[in-house]
Amino acid sequence: MTWFASHPLGVLLVPLVVAAMLGAFGRWLRPAAPWIALLGPAAALVTGAGALMAGESRVVVGSVPWIAVGDRVLAVGYRVDSLSALMLVVLGVVASCVVVFSVGYMRGERGWSRYFALISLFCASMAGLVIASGLVELFIGWELVGVCSFLLIGFWYDKPAAADAARKAFLTTRVGDAGLLLAMALIWTKTGSMSIDGLGRAAATLPPAVVTAAALLLFLGAAGKSAQFPLHIWLPDAMEGPTPVSALIHAATMVAAGVYLVARTWPLFAASPVAQGVVLVVGVFTALAAATAALAQTDIKRVLAYSTISQLGFMFAALGAGNWRAAIFHLVTHAAFKALLFLAAGSVIHGAGTQDLRQMGGLVRRMPATAVAWMAGGLALAGVPPLAGFFSKDAVIAAVMHRSPLAAWTLILASLLTAMYVARSTQLAFFGDSRDVYAAHESPLSMTLPLGVLAGLACALGFTATALLGALGATGGESISAAIVVPAVLAAFTGLATGWFVWAREPGAENAFPSWLERAWGAARNGYGFDAAVVRATVQPLMTLATLTYAFTDRIVIDGTAEGVSKGAGGIAEWLRELQNGDVHWYGAMTAAGVVVLLTVVVWLTRGA
């Protein structure tokens, strides 16, 4: 492990070679494709674990000059410290579980080798993002994980909904990426460096307005990748991709890249109270709004998609409160229990043949292993002690309470709603009478084994809080007071009890709601119409502009010019053709007229000679 930690480029090279092999020779390597694809996550896990074992003080760096611009030199390289090592461990564990789970889930699918090649390419891209020593290398990895997300969401490219979702994710995240690119340009212009290490020194010397602008642009990039309001709209539709992809990319790693970006560039945010305030407000609002939307969903994967958006909001709230370590702690625990929930949902879809909660029921009797795994992840998500989510979510709330009690109580409300949608989805899927899944069956060992691993982590990770925060440089820290723990736990149990008993009596309980609540419920199910508003505000005007531009520039200017020249030449040719009528007298008259014209021209030109 020590050798791997000292040579971290292996986390890039191994999965890249695997992706190239599976892409080029997938037809012949098909039976072994998933086991070869495990090499990439294994390299990330071993490298990250080795770096963590080496201790907080051990930092492995390396760089080479790339481009010289005048007296400025742009270098590219790698940096493995405790933060990047922890992210590599998360990537390695979750990706390994996803690859093994996919053996059963994706069996018989067309594009088997392509699927595992893309998973390997994603691992290489995410590892490159994590170990980047500068913003240029980070941006390259950032864009590559976006490309991999596009390709994996649209894996079933012949399915229109999947193709549309892939395009939507790609285009929406490009908005955030533009912010990241502008931040890089601003930092390069003002400092002449792209080194992440230099951001601390830059933040102390740059004007406050420049620091705030750079931090807000970086946050725009983070909000796009991590699906924060208003750039959250791509993530629910991304559930059109294979469920293991949702577990890997859209729950545990890629969507957490925005949180990692802010933590990695923290000196800029630490020097800008304005930027921190914006991050806090956006995070808290997203956490609450997405939790209400998750409560109303009927698709089990969309429940988890909105839940992911909400939990990422918790992480950004901690960042906005000035405690990036609490945000990373919640990122780690969330990676375990949300990947577990997505894979459990995939097991349900595989075994029951549906992802509509209204068609499930009674699955605990037919899929007991999946049910236990789901409940472990759900209770961790709800923040029930002593599971992992209890420790990390309360750490986030405690951090926010120091900055803004109102924001902290809003997060406690979001926690109550989280527990409600956990209880609702659990009741609808696994308990009560079976509604339309009488032939449901338990998933094979290749799918239940990863569930067991992640369930263990979801239960135990909270007890590593001291070691984990210590690895990130926390010195002692404050214990979470009973004033925070008691309301948070009460909110969790109140939400669980409410969700359980409301939907235990009647699976379609929302159909009996009062009219005003039914309208609110429908609005939440539709994401409050934000998608439609974005279409009206951006897509439709742009389509109208494109149509007008096409009608004027292409049809009138370009086509009109080309067609006008053609018609003009044709008209001249037609006139000249009529002159060739075979009449000798006419030819003689024309010749004489031509001679007269030529003589006139000659006389006119030589009149002054």
Side-chain angles (χ1 to χ4, degrees), residues 61 165 240 274 354 492 599:
V61 295
E240 292 293 340
V274 173
T354 181
L599 289 174

Side-chain angles (χ1 to χ4, degrees), residues 427-428 432-433 497-510 512-513:
Q427 173 64 240
L428 291 178
D433 296 326
T498 303
W500 184 267
F501 289 111
V502 168
W503 279 274
R505 295 197 308 270
E506 173 56 50
E510 59 268 22
F513 286 166

